[in-house]
Amino acid sequence: KAGVTQTPRYLIKTRGQQVTLSCSPISGHRSVSWYQQTPGQGLQFLFEYFSETQRNKGNFPGRFSGRQFSNSRSEMNVSTLELGDSALYLCASSLAGTGITDTQYFGPGTRLTVL
Amino acid sequence: ILNVEQSPQSLHVQEGDSTNFTCSFPSSNFYALHWYRWETAKSPEALFVMTLNGDEKKKGRISATLNTKEGYSYLYIKGSQPEDSATYLCAFDASGTYKYIFGTGTRLKVLA
């Protein structure tokens, strides 16, 4: 069974630009969550999508947005990039059937550098 | 603001040593506590999900305990091997959603 994939793996942008990251979950998984990791910080929850709907949201500004398609693939978008957005962005998928103690499976991440 | 702390931040042990580290979390509004292992250049991998006070989970040489009343979980590694070298993360779930609060991790290096 293929794992969670993320594209691109590395990205360099300049301040003010926008960026779109993609996540393909494990086949059959309907929940996709996004996390940001910056140096010295733990993973911070951005948002979670389930069946094309945002089900939960973390404490990030509105520049961070996402969506989920009918095939459960998800994208996150960051507009008007700032230097502080440089981070590793991880997505994770799970079945999200009954019980939120489903195991989350993480992708390899996208390393975003903002210059 | 809910805070999850892990200690120590990093440690080096010799091959064959046993070791343990701590995850401290708020003792109120507990739903679940997750442990992950994150090896360099790989994806975080789920180790355990713990939901009940007094829970003890085991996977090979790795085990974990949970005390929800006092707000801590211990992860133990028995007879550490170089392949155990990784960052071990805990994630606190207060609401039964995926809005986890992660600790900053314990970075373990096992020396051969």
Side-chain angles (χ1 to χ4, degrees), chain B residues 33-95:
Chain B
L33 192 284
H34 301 256
W35 281 100
Y36 290 86
R37 174 170 58 201
W38 194 358
E39 294 178 66
T40 303
K42 293 189 177 179
S43 309
E45 173 198 355
L47 286 173
F48 305 114
V49 54
M50 311 183 79
T51 56
L52 298 173
N53 185 44
D55 237 357
E56 185 167 339
K57 297 281 177 83
K58 190 172 180 184
K59 191 176 189 176
R61 294 178 292 97
I62 304 177
S63 60
T65 61
L66 178 70
N67 184 324
T68 59
K69 293 183 179 176
E70 295 183 36
Y72 65 84
S73 176
Y74 293 139
L75 190 79
Y76 301 91
I77 302 178
K78 187 177 176 182
S80 303
Q81 299 296 308
E83 59 263 31
D84 296 328
S85 297
T87 296
Y88 291 83
L89 295 171
C90 66
F92 173 70
D93 180 0
S95 54

